[in-house]
Amino acid sequence: MKTKHIFVPALDVSELLPFTKRKTKKLSESLKEQERARKELEKFVDKLEKNYKEKIWYMGMDVITGKTYERFIFDKGGFFEIMIEAPLAMNAHFVHERQAKKFNEALKKTLKQIMPKTSVSDLFINSIEVGSEEEESLTYKTWANIKEIRNR
């Protein structure tokens, strides 16, 4: 079976993105935090769609082992998933490198519009690159290892 996988991963270790879902202690606080994060995510996706110049359709939300995944599909192929718990992880998947490069540029432009203008933001944005199936993508295992290091 032939495979071709081009991806654009991003991991917000510094928790700069406004749609990161923060931990809370009470259920009522958790519900408010989830709603706040969702509104910020909607604003982000609207800006991303304008910069990408392609429709982005919401596919839905999944909660898998306590992690919330928001999923989107692109009108001309590919999909985008965001794990919104800190550290927030984003991964866009494509078959064509041209689409991945276009998305990468739109993502960086969008992040520059919504993030604070700091050297940490610049480092994060500059770290986002197009990868291919020959490279390791951002997996749940990688994310869990990074989260474990952060929590020490």
Side-chain angles (χ1 to χ4, degrees), residues 41-143:
L41 179 61
E42 286 175 15
K43 289 182 206 174
F44 165 74
V45 172
D46 287 345
K47 286 180 192 286
L48 180 60
E49 186 176 64
K50 286 177 184 148
N51 290 328
Y52 190 42
K53 297 178 175 69
E54 183 176 321
K55 290 297 272 177
I56 300 174
W57 302 99
Y58 183 64
M59 290 176 56
M61 176 189 72
D62 286 315
V63 178
I64 302 170
T65 63
K67 309 295 180 249
T68 305
Y69 294 85
E70 299 281 358
R71 293 198 170 95
F72 305 86
I73 192 164
F74 304 119
D75 204 42
K76 296 180 182 170
F79 71 97
F80 186 39
E81 59 187 352
I82 304 172
M83 185 170 53
I84 62 171
E85 278 82 18
L88 184 140
M90 298 185 280
N91 220 343
H93 306 270
F94 303 91
V95 174
H96 303 289
E97 188 174 4
R98 181 179 51 60
Q99 278 183 293
K101 286 179 177 180
K102 178 183 168 190
F103 176 81
N104 188 44
E105 291 305 313
L107 178 61
K108 287 180 174 187
K109 182 177 180 179
T110 305
L111 292 174
K112 285 177 185 176
Q113 292 171 342
I114 68 166
M115 293 177 74
K117 313 281 187 260
T118 66
S119 57
V120 176
S121 295
D122 289 342
L123 283 171
F124 170 63
I125 292 168
N126 292 332
S127 74
I128 301 169
E129 297 179 351
V130 175
S132 68
E133 61 191 8
E134 290 84 31
E135 303 166 46
E136 185 178 337
S137 65
L138 178 60
T139 63
Y140 175 77
K141 183 179 178 187
T142 306
W143 178 88

